[in-house]
Amino acid sequence: MSGDKMDGDKMAKSSYITYDDYTKEGAAKAQGPVVFFFAATWCHVCQELDKAIKSDASLIPDGVTLVNVDYDAHTDLRQKYGVTMQHTFVQVDPDGKELAKWSATKASDLFSGIKR
């Protein structure tokens, strides 16, 4: 899912993609901040956040690529970033280095920890 947002004469794109899509082509296309969203299919909070994001693209700030990472399938990423619970968000730089980490349980806090 992606959304275009107008900012004067330029277009800022935000997107919500899976980690698999991110590794295939998304990393090269990401122009702004990249945030990993560690979510589990069995996690009620994760599912509510996912539903909110999919129904309202404006929740994702301009230019941000939000990457849904399967909490159970990507234990390597959980270990790399020290993620110990689902609904954790990790902002990374283009080399995959952690810039910020936070947890959110409601849509209004999705990007509370992002660094610009």
Side-chain angles (χ1 to χ4, degrees):
M1 178 183 110
S2 28
D4 295 339
K5 300 177 183 179
M6 291 300 290
D7 181 20
D9 288 338
K10 67 178 185 174
M11 190 76 85
K13 290 192 175 212
S14 60
S15 60
Y16 184 42
I17 60 176
T18 66
Y19 183 74
D20 291 337
D21 288 340
Y22 176 75
T23 58
K24 288 178 189 167
E25 60 186 58
K29 290 182 179 178
Q31 305 258 332
V34 174
V35 177
F36 291 160
F37 167 29
F38 287 85
T41 57
W42 47 264
C43 169
H44 177 69
V45 171
C46 300
Q47 296 312 305
E48 288 297 318
L49 293 174
D50 180 70
K51 183 179 175 183
I53 295 162
K54 287 178 177 174
S55 67
D56 184 1
S58 71
L59 290 171
I60 304 172
D62 291 349
V64 171
T65 299
L66 180 60
V67 181
N68 185 302
V69 178
D70 185 314
Y71 182 84
D72 294 315
H74 292 287
T75 55
D76 57 330
L77 292 176
R78 284 183 18 215
Q79 184 175 24
K80 177 178 180 175
Y81 298 114
V83 173
T84 58
M85 67 180 197
Q86 63 282 3
H87 55 80
T88 295
F89 295 79
V90 179
Q91 182 180 354
V92 297
D93 71 9
D95 296 320
K97 181 181 173 192
E98 179 183 321
L99 300 174
K101 180 171 37 181
W102 66 96
S103 185
T105 58
K106 54 188 177 180
S108 61
D109 294 337
L110 283 173
F111 295 95
S112 61
I114 198 167
K115 293 185 179 184
R116 291 283 184 159

